């Protein structure tokens, strides 16, 4: 075998190996994607050619409600109620700039209309600890489920220019560790935090103010592959850390919020609010009435 044949053979073997790796790391997702790709192929002739493959699967899907073929990711979601108070709550932030994180937390406290959104820390005790080049926040006492999720999203979008916080929320169930889960912000999923459970099941939480539910997570396998979080390793390391309580100033009074809506209803705070992009609180959005 000459050098050229060796190179070609190596390329083929590596290519086959890569395809097998992509399939085996998440076979269910790849199988669903394969069937949907055949059915929705942009070339009509290709759709017809592949009918013997996707049509039987489509019929079975319709009969048994397997949700193999969906239009929106929500169509295949399975809601599950949790008891949020049973979880130890941690937020992992890729920064050591504690001063900036404190400012972000203060902004979060004042950035939402308490009547319309009611995303508050509610006097939640927050402790911090350095973890290498990262910062870990531990939230104690009561904080509501929706407020916690929006705080994670808010922190992730509050990194200074040219920085990425890669925020993760790790929730360890104190009664059943296998019910633990982690979530993070992925821009491919609008107004959702996606993640996995201890058992490696894909799930997400909804942070859309119009559809979010209290103490509800959604199981859904129709998301691209991403690694699970090592909960056991995290627990072993967290016990060795020393946490220091963060002293936050009292939240601003409701009177600091502006009246920008119809009928004088408080709809947004002066600092951010309705004139802010909900996905990037640091980027202002132009009002429809602006010129």
């Amino acid at each position: 075998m000459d050098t050229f044949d060796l190179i070609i053979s190596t390329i083929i073997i590596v290519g086959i190996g890569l395809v097998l790796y992509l399939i085996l790391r998440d076979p269910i997702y790849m199988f669903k994607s394969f069937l949907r790709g055949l059915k929705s192929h942009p070339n009509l002739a290709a759709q017809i050619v592949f009918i013997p493959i996707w049509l039987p699967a489509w019929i079975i899907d319709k009969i048994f409600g397997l949700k193999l073929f969906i239009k929106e990711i929500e169509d295949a979601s399975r809601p599950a109620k949790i008891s949020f108070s049973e979880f130890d709550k941690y937020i992992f932030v890729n920064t050591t700039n504690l001063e900036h994180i404190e400012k972000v937390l203060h902004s979060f406290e004042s950035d939402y209309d308490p009547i319309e959104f009611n995303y508050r820390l509610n006097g939640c005790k927050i402790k911090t600890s350095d973890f290498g080049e990262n910062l870990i926040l531990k939230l104690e006492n009561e904080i509501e489920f929706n407020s916690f999720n929006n705080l994670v999203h808010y922190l992730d979008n509050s990194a200074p220019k040219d920085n990425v916080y890669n925020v993760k929320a790790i929730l360890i169930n104190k009664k059943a560790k296998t019910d633990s889960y982690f979530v993070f912000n992925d821009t491919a999923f609008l107004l959702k935090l996606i993640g996995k459970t201890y058992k490696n099941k894909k799930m997400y939480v909804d942070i859309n103010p119009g559809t979010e539910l209290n103490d509800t997570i959604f199981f859904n396998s129709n998301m691209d592959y991403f690694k699970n979080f090592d909960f056991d390793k995290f627990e072993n390391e967290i016990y060795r850390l020393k946490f220091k309580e963060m002293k936050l100033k009292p939240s601003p009074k409701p009177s600091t919020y502006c009246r920008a809506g119809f009928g004088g209803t408080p709809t947004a705070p002066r600092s951010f609010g309705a004139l802010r992009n909900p996905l990037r609180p640091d980027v202002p959005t132009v009002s429809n009435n602006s010129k």
Side-chain angles (χ1 to χ4, degrees):
M1 180 180 295
D2 57 25
T3 303
F4 178 78
D5 292 336
L6 181 60
I7 293 174
I8 296 299
S9 300
T10 302
I11 293 174
I12 293 174
I13 293 172
V14 171
I16 294 175
L18 179 61
V19 171
L20 289 175
Y21 168 73
L22 294 175
I23 294 174
L24 294 177
R25 73 176 184 175
D26 200 342
I28 296 177
Y29 174 77
M30 293 301 296
F31 176 68
K32 291 180 179 180
S33 299
F34 174 71
L35 291 176
R36 292 167 189 162
L38 295 182
K39 182 179 181 299
S40 59
H41 199 285
N43 189 315
L44 181 60
Q47 286 188 34
I48 296 173
V49 169
F50 293 127
I51 280 180
I53 299 177
W54 65 259
L55 183 58
W58 182 83
I59 294 174
I60 293 173
D61 181 50
K62 290 298 181 182
I63 294 175
F64 295 101
L66 302 177
K67 298 181 179 179
L68 297 175
F69 300 90
I70 58 174
K71 294 181 179 180
E72 303 291 340
I73 188 172
E74 292 83 0
D75 297 339
S77 297
R78 179 170 60 86
K81 295 291 290 184
I82 64 172
S83 179
F84 193 59
S85 61
E86 294 180 355
F87 291 83
D88 285 329
K89 307 164 187 68
Y90 301 92
I91 299 178
F92 189 92
V93 189
N94 183 25
T95 184
T96 55
N97 190 346
L98 181 58
E99 182 179 353
H100 184 259
I101 294 300
E102 289 180 353
K103 291 180 180 178
V104 173
L105 292 174
H106 283 298
S107 296
F108 178 79
E109 278 279 73
S110 61
D111 200 25
Y112 292 99
D113 186 321
I115 298 177
E116 185 172 354
F117 296 102
N118 196 31
Y119 299 145
R120 315 295 291 167
L121 295 178
N122 290 333
C124 175
K125 182 185 294 184
I126 301 177
K127 295 182 177 181
T128 65
S129 178
D130 292 328
F131 185 68
E133 297 298 319
N134 306 284
L135 189 68
I136 294 180
L137 309 182
K138 182 179 182 181
L139 284 75
E140 300 181 349
N141 299 340
E142 289 303 317
I143 179 172
E144 294 181 351
F145 178 75
N146 293 332
S147 294
F148 178 83
N149 294 331
N150 278 276
L151 174 60
V152 173
H153 186 266
Y154 193 90
L155 280 167
D156 192 63
N157 287 306
S158 297
K161 186 178 180 181
D162 300 326
N163 284 267
V164 179
Y165 273 172
N166 289 325
V167 175
K168 291 184 179 68
I170 302 100
L171 295 104
I172 307 296
N173 193 294
K174 293 176 283 190
K175 295 183 177 180
K177 189 168 72 170
T178 54
D179 290 337
S180 303
Y181 68 91
F182 89 101
V183 289
F184 63 96
N185 184 36
D186 187 328
T187 55
F189 297 90
L190 186 64
L191 295 179
K192 290 178 175 59
L193 300 177
I194 68 170
K196 285 184 176 181
T197 67
Y198 184 91
K199 295 181 179 180
N200 204 38
K201 292 183 178 180
K202 295 177 184 176
M203 46 75 65
Y204 68 84
V205 295
D206 192 353
I207 57 173
N208 187 334
T211 58
E212 62 185 357
L213 299 174
N214 286 326
D215 293 5
T216 303
I217 64 175
F218 296 86
F219 290 104
N220 195 313
S221 62
N222 296 276
M223 293 181 280
D224 203 353
Y225 172 82
F226 54 90
K227 289 184 178 180
N228 199 3
F229 186 79
D230 193 335
F231 293 92
D232 294 325
K233 181 180 179 181
F234 178 77
E235 276 196 290
N236 291 333
E237 293 174 338
I238 210 74
Y239 289 137
R240 297 196 294 266
L241 298 180
K242 293 182 178 180
F243 286 86
K244 181 180 180 181
E245 185 174 350
M246 178 185 293
K247 300 294 184 181
L248 293 178
K249 298 178 182 179
S251 303
K253 297 180 180 180
S255 60
T256 62
Y257 291 85
C258 68
R259 293 179 175 268
F262 296 101
T265 303
T267 58
R270 299 183 190 276
S271 56
F272 298 98
L275 297 181
R276 287 279 167 175
N277 185 332
L279 298 180
R280 285 303 306 272
D282 58 318
V283 180
T285 302
V286 179
S287 170
N288 292 333
N289 297 323
S290 300
K291 296 295 184 181

